[in-house]
Amino acid sequence: MSAGLTGVLLGLTTATGLVLLLAYAPPARPVRLADRLAPYVQDTPPPSRLLGTATQPGLLSAARRVFGPALGDGARFVDRLLGGRVAVRRRLDALATETTVEDVRVEQVVWGGLGLLGGAVLTAVGSVLAGSVNVLTAVLLCVAGLVGGVLGRDWWLTQQVSKREELLLAEFPVVAELLALAVTAGESPTAAIARVTRLSGGELARELGGALGRARAGVPLVEALQQVADRTSLDALARFVDGVIVAVERGTPLAEVLRAQAADVREAGKRRLLEAGGAKEIQMMVPVVFLVLPVTVLFALFPGLISIVTLAQ
């Protein structure tokens, strides 16, 4: 490693340390209300663990314990920069998770920090191999890693919601037919939902079980079921909830409606499979056209080309 490269790396490290020291020193950091009240509420006994939910150790909890204030400031900055709290909240509701928007912002900061670290490592490796430092390339790699990490967490949240909706749609025909069978046997819609959620598993069964639990806690069953439909963007699930709500409110027959909805969802699934098969068939033509066909043509023309070259000599 050359002396100039060593000096650049040492200077960059020193400047980063000084910036962090000045940014998070007490004179430059305002005192929060929680910090002012903390000495007076330290004697408050902690709540019982039986009243809370167990938290699993992970990257987010560890990062919050080590870099709590910095992550909080970064999460607020990302939230002001990106916005879209309503969209994030809607996707979290569709995911049926206890994660808050603040947790997602903190995870975006962590992912961005990891991307920045990856860009710095790539820059260092490239500089060592090249023997010199290209400042513009280094800055672009670090910025790309930072932005890619922040946006990558948002993309991953969207992918999680899409996968969960695919699971809901795949489980819907079976759950609908089980409900239709229970209703045909003489049970009420509420009892049928309770039986199906007790005997089956999956995302849709958990959603219906959660709605039934909220209904038992005092929320009207119609409102609890409507919350299930509002959290997803699936038209089939919305029609299913509308049918159950109408049956609960007016006592209309439900079994045939559920069977018809299950058949519609199965037909839609077949159409999606056919469309996916058509798309895959087109993708399979790419290696055939660009790899297999040129090699075949080369093997067919090579003997003739050799003969022409031989005759020309």
Side-chain angles (χ1 to χ4, degrees):
M1 184 181 296
S2 63
L5 178 60
T6 305
V8 168
L9 293 178
L10 290 177
L12 181 62
T13 304
T14 305
T16 304
L18 290 176
V19 169
L20 292 176
L21 182 62
L22 294 176
Y24 294 101
R29 185 177 183 84
V31 181
R32 299 179 301 173
L33 180 61
D35 298 332
R36 295 178 181 177
L37 297 179
Y40 304 99
V41 297
Q42 286 181 352
D43 297 333
T44 304
S48 174
R49 293 184 179 180
L50 297 176
L51 301 178
T53 57
T55 57
Q56 299 293 334
L59 178 63
L60 179 60
S61 59
R64 276 187 166 178
R65 291 179 181 178
V66 178
F67 308 103
L71 286 179
D73 294 341
R76 286 188 289 271
F77 176 75
V78 170
D79 188 63
R80 290 194 302 268
L81 184 64
L82 298 180
R85 292 180 63 90
V86 177
V88 175
R89 181 70 266 171
R90 187 183 302 113
R91 282 179 289 176
L92 290 175
D93 290 339
L95 201 56
T97 179
E98 296 181 357
T99 305
T100 61
V101 179
E102 287 73 18
D103 293 337
V104 174
R105 296 308 188 194
V106 171
E107 290 179 359
Q108 284 183 297
V109 173
V110 173
W111 283 44
L114 294 177
L116 179 61
L117 180 61
V121 170
L122 288 177
T123 302
V125 172
S127 301
V128 170
L129 295 177
S132 61
V133 178
N134 191 335
V135 179
L136 180 59
T137 303
V139 172
L140 290 178
L141 279 176
C142 293
V143 171
L146 178 63
V147 175
V150 173
L151 299 181
R153 179 62 185 92
D154 188 78
W155 172 83
W156 179 246
L157 179 61
T158 304
Q159 293 299 116
Q160 287 179 311
V161 174
S162 301
K163 291 179 181 178
R164 186 171 187 272
E165 289 185 348
E166 289 178 1
L167 289 176
L168 290 174
L169 202 59
E171 297 167 2
F172 174 76
V174 178
V175 173
E177 289 185 350
L178 287 175
L179 285 174
L181 183 61
V183 171
T184 305
E187 289 187 336
S188 63
T190 304
I193 293 175
R195 179 179 294 276
V196 170
T197 55
R198 185 173 64 253
L199 298 178
S200 61
E203 295 294 332
L204 185 55
R206 280 194 288 272
E207 282 283 350
L208 295 177
L212 195 61
R214 291 191 296 271
R216 290 170 177 170
V219 179
L221 180 60
V222 173
E223 182 178 348
L225 291 174
Q226 189 61 45
Q227 291 175 0
V228 174
D230 293 339
R231 282 201 300 267
T232 63
S233 58
L234 299 176
D235 295 334
L237 187 58
R239 291 194 299 268
F240 162 73
V241 171
D242 291 339
V244 175
I245 289 175
V246 171
V248 171
E249 289 181 340
R250 304 179 183 179
T252 55
L254 184 62
E256 294 300 327
V257 175
L258 292 178
R259 290 195 182 94
Q261 290 180 354
D264 292 341
V265 171
R266 282 199 171 94
E267 290 297 328
K270 292 179 182 178
R271 288 194 298 271
R272 285 196 302 272
L273 286 177
L274 291 175
E275 292 173 359
K280 296 297 182 182
E281 183 179 0
I282 295 175
Q283 294 176 5
M284 289 171 61
M285 293 297 295
V286 174
V288 173
V289 173
F290 293 100
L291 296 178
V292 179
L293 185 60
V295 173
T296 305
V297 173
L298 181 62
F299 271 92
L301 297 180
F302 186 74
L305 181 62
I306 294 297
S307 302
I308 294 175
V309 171
T310 305
L311 292 175
Q313 292 177 352

